[in-house]
Amino acid sequence: MDIPFLSLKEVTALHADEINAAVQRVVNSGWYLQGRENATFEKHYADFVGTRYAVGCANGLDALIWIFRAYIELGIMKPGDEVIVPANTFIATVLAITENHLVPVLVEPNPDTLVIDDSRIEQAITSKTKAITIVHLYGRMAYTDTVGTLCKRYNLKLIEDCAQSHGCKSADGCVSGSIGDAAGHSFYPGKNLGALGDGGAVTTNDPDLARVVRTLANYGSAQKYVFSYSGRNSRLDEIQAAVLDVKLKYLEEDNNHRRIVANHYYDNICNSLITLPERLFDAQNVYHLFPILVNGKKNRDGLHDYLEQHGVGSICHYPIAPHCQDCYANAVWNTPRLSLPITERLADEELSLPIGPTISIEEAHEVVKLVNSYEQA
């Protein structure tokens, strides 16, 4: 049996002719940065998300960094201000905050949904709080009416981390990336909408934010050789924009296939050692990942090894929580080290099963059989 966690080669092959044509078009054009391909993709992606602006940049981490930096440049935030952020997330979400000398305030997830627990947010708000960051982790919608109400009540910016949620929708049908004041998106190759390398974007309806983000990502320059800010080089290149524009046309189709595979897992996985996260309405989950929780780290690691021995790929997302990483060991906001037992348990018990636009139902069935046959380590 050979069922990879995700075969990028097979994903690219789905639309290889169009991708190759798009790349060749860029090569032949002689224009490789800040050209027509970027303008086209940004327009199409903004339309897809439902915002006035999409600004391409080098990667998803930069997208988040530029949002916070832009708010600082606009005088809306300042170093030392606090940003509420889920404790259960990929470290990039927290890095974007600390990179801007803002203070992350980590809030535990709901163990059933695996995203930020909105019932814990209000108690974390202080006079220094300027924003709430929600992460649509694993492709699951993290926005709730409670989050929106708190942002209005305390006059907080709502920032979305959409690195894993391309096409995910809220209960009222809004696409992730259009719900908050600004959103960061990643086009890392393994994402639902992935480039052939790194790439990212910021979406927003705020013209000032969009302008400053674009300027910051171009060395701080909006006019050649004139620098308004101390920025960096963080641009989406023309080849990646062209590839993303091809793949955007098939995103909904690919997401629907992910849902079919996920529903097969939900309907058929039955093992007393395994808990599945709460099942959401299809539109509220684009299944970037299919996480399961295995009872105890020993069993989680055992299942991972068992699947690997039978030719099935699986990955632990994420085995070390951000607040447990060495880079934050001496951070003031994390000294003494925070106690976040739910997040730490998820780090010990989460295992992601194969899912994507190329896995077949027959392969998913084989994954289910193996998962159901696994016995306690």
Side-chain angles (χ1 to χ4, degrees), residues 1 37 55 57 82 103 132 218 236 247 272 296 305 314 320 344 354:
M1 192 182 303
E37 302 294 346
V55 181
C57 59
E82 295 176 352
V103 179
I132 298 174
N218 186 44
L236 182 66
K247 297 179 76 173
S272 61
D305 293 345
S314 63
I320 305 175
E344 290 163 27

PDB file of all heavy atoms in Angstrom, residues 1 37 55 57 82 103 132 218 236 247 272 296 305 314 320 344 354:
ATOM      1  N   MET A   1       0.845  -1.199   0.000  1.00  0.00           N
ATOM      2  CA  MET A   1       0.000   0.000   0.000  1.00  0.00           C
ATOM      3  C   MET A   1       0.879   1.247   0.000  1.00  0.00           C
ATOM      4  O   MET A   1       1.893   1.306   0.687  1.00  0.00           O
ATOM      5  CB  MET A   1      -0.905   0.001   1.241  1.00  0.00           C
ATOM      6  CG  MET A   1      -2.025   1.035   1.196  1.00  0.00           C
ATOM      7  SD  MET A   1      -3.015   1.021   2.719  1.00  0.00           S
ATOM      8  CE  MET A   1      -3.553  -0.680   2.780  1.00  0.00           C
ATOM      9  N   GLU A  37       0.225  39.539 -14.159  1.00  0.00           N
ATOM     10  CA  GLU A  37      -0.224  38.307 -13.493  1.00  0.00           C
ATOM     11  C   GLU A  37      -0.623  38.586 -12.050  1.00  0.00           C
ATOM     12  O   GLU A  37      -1.621  38.056 -11.562  1.00  0.00           O
ATOM     13  CB  GLU A  37       0.876  37.237 -13.550  1.00  0.00           C
ATOM     14  CG  GLU A  37       1.341  36.870 -14.945  1.00  0.00           C
ATOM     15  CD  GLU A  37       0.284  36.174 -15.783  1.00  0.00           C
ATOM     16  OE1 GLU A  37      -0.736  35.716 -15.227  1.00  0.00           O
ATOM     17  OE2 GLU A  37       0.487  36.089 -17.013  1.00  0.00           O
ATOM     18  N   VAL A  55      -3.696  41.875  -1.585  1.00  0.00           N
ATOM     19  CA  VAL A  55      -2.327  42.333  -1.833  1.00  0.00           C
ATOM     20  C   VAL A  55      -1.392  41.136  -1.730  1.00  0.00           C
ATOM     21  O   VAL A  55      -1.233  40.557  -0.647  1.00  0.00           O
ATOM     22  CB  VAL A  55      -1.902  43.426  -0.822  1.00  0.00           C
ATOM     23  CG1 VAL A  55      -0.488  43.905  -1.121  1.00  0.00           C
ATOM     24  CG2 VAL A  55      -2.889  44.584  -0.836  1.00  0.00           C
ATOM     25  N   CYS A  57       1.970  38.939  -1.420  1.00  0.00           N
ATOM     26  CA  CYS A  57       3.258  39.099  -0.750  1.00  0.00           C
ATOM     27  C   CYS A  57       3.992  37.765  -0.767  1.00  0.00           C
ATOM     28  O   CYS A  57       3.516  36.800  -1.361  1.00  0.00           O
ATOM     29  CB  CYS A  57       3.089  39.640   0.669  1.00  0.00           C
ATOM     30  SG  CYS A  57       2.090  38.604   1.748  1.00  0.00           S
ATOM     31  N   GLU A  82      -1.459  44.467  23.291  1.00  0.00           N
ATOM     32  CA  GLU A  82      -1.743  43.034  23.372  1.00  0.00           C
ATOM     33  C   GLU A  82      -2.656  42.590  22.233  1.00  0.00           C
ATOM     34  O   GLU A  82      -3.556  43.318  21.812  1.00  0.00           O
ATOM     35  CB  GLU A  82      -2.403  42.709  24.709  1.00  0.00           C
ATOM     36  CG  GLU A  82      -1.484  42.959  25.906  1.00  0.00           C
ATOM     37  CD  GLU A  82      -2.170  42.741  27.245  1.00  0.00           C
ATOM     38  OE1 GLU A  82      -3.411  42.548  27.256  1.00  0.00           O
ATOM     39  OE2 GLU A  82      -1.469  42.771  28.272  1.00  0.00           O
ATOM     40  N   VAL A 103       2.336  42.007  22.113  1.00  0.00           N
ATOM     41  CA  VAL A 103       2.328  40.961  23.137  1.00  0.00           C
ATOM     42  C   VAL A 103       1.210  39.960  22.854  1.00  0.00           C
ATOM     43  O   VAL A 103       0.031  40.317  22.878  1.00  0.00           O
ATOM     44  CB  VAL A 103       2.123  41.570  24.543  1.00  0.00           C
ATOM     45  CG1 VAL A 103       2.099  40.463  25.602  1.00  0.00           C
ATOM     46  CG2 VAL A 103       3.214  42.584  24.847  1.00  0.00           C
ATOM     47  N   ILE A 132      -8.094  40.881  18.252  1.00  0.00           N
ATOM     48  CA  ILE A 132      -8.274  39.437  18.401  1.00  0.00           C
ATOM     49  C   ILE A 132      -7.869  38.808  17.077  1.00  0.00           C
ATOM     50  O   ILE A 132      -8.328  39.235  16.007  1.00  0.00           O
ATOM     51  CB  ILE A 132      -9.728  39.065  18.731  1.00  0.00           C
ATOM     52  CG1 ILE A 132     -10.162  39.670  20.071  1.00  0.00           C
ATOM     53  CG2 ILE A 132      -9.899  37.539  18.750  1.00  0.00           C
ATOM     54  CD1 ILE A 132     -11.640  39.470  20.384  1.00  0.00           C
ATOM     55  N   ASN A 218       7.138  46.315  -0.364  1.00  0.00           N
ATOM     56  CA  ASN A 218       7.976  46.749  -1.484  1.00  0.00           C
ATOM     57  C   ASN A 218       9.061  47.698  -0.969  1.00  0.00           C
ATOM     58  O   ASN A 218       9.210  48.821  -1.432  1.00  0.00           O
ATOM     59  CB  ASN A 218       7.126  47.420  -2.566  1.00  0.00           C
ATOM     60  CG  ASN A 218       7.922  47.746  -3.809  1.00  0.00           C
ATOM     61  OD1 ASN A 218       8.711  46.927  -4.283  1.00  0.00           O
ATOM     62  ND2 ASN A 218       7.721  48.943  -4.350  1.00  0.00           N
ATOM     63  N   LEU A 236       4.988  38.833  -4.203  1.00  0.00           N
ATOM     64  CA  LEU A 236       4.560  37.612  -4.893  1.00  0.00           C
ATOM     65  C   LEU A 236       5.049  37.707  -6.334  1.00  0.00           C
ATOM     66  O   LEU A 236       4.735  38.670  -7.035  1.00  0.00           O
ATOM     67  CB  LEU A 236       3.037  37.498  -4.852  1.00  0.00           C
ATOM     68  CG  LEU A 236       2.409  36.253  -5.488  1.00  0.00           C
ATOM     69  CD1 LEU A 236       2.785  34.994  -4.707  1.00  0.00           C
ATOM     70  CD2 LEU A 236       0.887  36.398  -5.553  1.00  0.00           C
ATOM     71  N   LYS A 247      -5.132  27.641 -10.462  1.00  0.00           N
ATOM     72  CA  LYS A 247      -5.645  26.732  -9.443  1.00  0.00           C
ATOM     73  C   LYS A 247      -6.863  27.286  -8.722  1.00  0.00           C
ATOM     74  O   LYS A 247      -7.700  26.522  -8.223  1.00  0.00           O
ATOM     75  CB  LYS A 247      -4.533  26.384  -8.452  1.00  0.00           C
ATOM     76  CG  LYS A 247      -3.365  25.635  -9.114  1.00  0.00           C
ATOM     77  CD  LYS A 247      -2.256  25.310  -8.145  1.00  0.00           C
ATOM     78  CE  LYS A 247      -2.623  24.158  -7.262  1.00  0.00           C
ATOM     79  NZ  LYS A 247      -1.484  23.711  -6.423  1.00  0.00           N
ATOM     80  N   SER A 272     -12.175   2.991  19.801  1.00  0.00           N
ATOM     81  CA  SER A 272     -12.366   3.573  21.132  1.00  0.00           C
ATOM     82  C   SER A 272     -11.189   4.450  21.558  1.00  0.00           C
ATOM     83  O   SER A 272     -11.327   5.253  22.490  1.00  0.00           O
ATOM     84  CB  SER A 272     -12.593   2.470  22.169  1.00  0.00           C
ATOM     85  OG  SER A 272     -11.467   1.603  22.236  1.00  0.00           O
ATOM     86  N   GLY A 296      -3.768   9.696  24.293  1.00  0.00           N
ATOM     87  CA  GLY A 296      -2.424   9.636  24.848  1.00  0.00           C
ATOM     88  C   GLY A 296      -1.335   9.706  23.782  1.00  0.00           C
ATOM     89  O   GLY A 296      -1.496   9.184  22.672  1.00  0.00           O
ATOM     90  N   ASP A 305       3.154   5.389  13.629  1.00  0.00           N
ATOM     91  CA  ASP A 305       4.114   4.383  13.179  1.00  0.00           C
ATOM     92  C   ASP A 305       3.395   3.225  12.488  1.00  0.00           C
ATOM     93  O   ASP A 305       3.884   2.683  11.475  1.00  0.00           O
ATOM     94  CB  ASP A 305       4.936   3.865  14.357  1.00  0.00           C
ATOM     95  CG  ASP A 305       5.855   4.944  14.931  1.00  0.00           C
ATOM     96  OD1 ASP A 305       6.067   5.972  14.258  1.00  0.00           O
ATOM     97  OD2 ASP A 305       6.338   4.752  16.070  1.00  0.00           O
ATOM     98  N   SER A 314       0.993  10.045   7.578  1.00  0.00           N
ATOM     99  CA  SER A 314       0.246  10.841   8.563  1.00  0.00           C
ATOM    100  C   SER A 314       1.232  11.804   9.211  1.00  0.00           C
ATOM    101  O   SER A 314       2.435  11.561   9.217  1.00  0.00           O
ATOM    102  CB  SER A 314      -0.432   9.968   9.625  1.00  0.00           C
ATOM    103  OG  SER A 314       0.537   9.255  10.380  1.00  0.00           O
ATOM    104  N   ILE A 320       4.736  20.343  19.214  1.00  0.00           N
ATOM    105  CA  ILE A 320       5.209  21.253  20.268  1.00  0.00           C
ATOM    106  C   ILE A 320       4.428  22.551  20.134  1.00  0.00           C
ATOM    107  O   ILE A 320       4.511  23.228  19.107  1.00  0.00           O
ATOM    108  CB  ILE A 320       6.721  21.532  20.169  1.00  0.00           C
ATOM    109  CG1 ILE A 320       7.517  20.227  20.168  1.00  0.00           C
ATOM    110  CG2 ILE A 320       7.171  22.427  21.321  1.00  0.00           C
ATOM    111  CD1 ILE A 320       9.013  20.418  19.950  1.00  0.00           C
ATOM    112  N   GLU A 344      -1.630  21.734  25.254  1.00  0.00           N
ATOM    113  CA  GLU A 344      -0.551  20.769  25.398  1.00  0.00           C
ATOM    114  C   GLU A 344      -1.045  19.347  25.164  1.00  0.00           C
ATOM    115  O   GLU A 344      -0.319  18.510  24.594  1.00  0.00           O
ATOM    116  CB  GLU A 344       0.081  20.925  26.780  1.00  0.00           C
ATOM    117  CG  GLU A 344       0.863  22.234  26.916  1.00  0.00           C
ATOM    118  CD  GLU A 344       1.155  22.629  28.352  1.00  0.00           C
ATOM    119  OE1 GLU A 344       1.223  21.725  29.210  1.00  0.00           O
ATOM    120  OE2 GLU A 344       1.304  23.843  28.622  1.00  0.00           O
ATOM    121  N   PRO A 354      -4.431  11.335   5.785  1.00  0.00           N
ATOM    122  CA  PRO A 354      -4.343  11.819   4.406  1.00  0.00           C
ATOM    123  C   PRO A 354      -5.666  12.409   3.919  1.00  0.00           C
ATOM    124  O   PRO A 354      -6.732  11.822   4.128  1.00  0.00           O
ATOM    125  CB  PRO A 354      -3.998  10.547   3.610  1.00  0.00           C
ATOM    126  CG  PRO A 354      -3.385   9.619   4.602  1.00  0.00           C
ATOM    127  CD  PRO A 354      -4.072   9.905   5.902  1.00  0.00           C
TER     128      PRO A 354
END
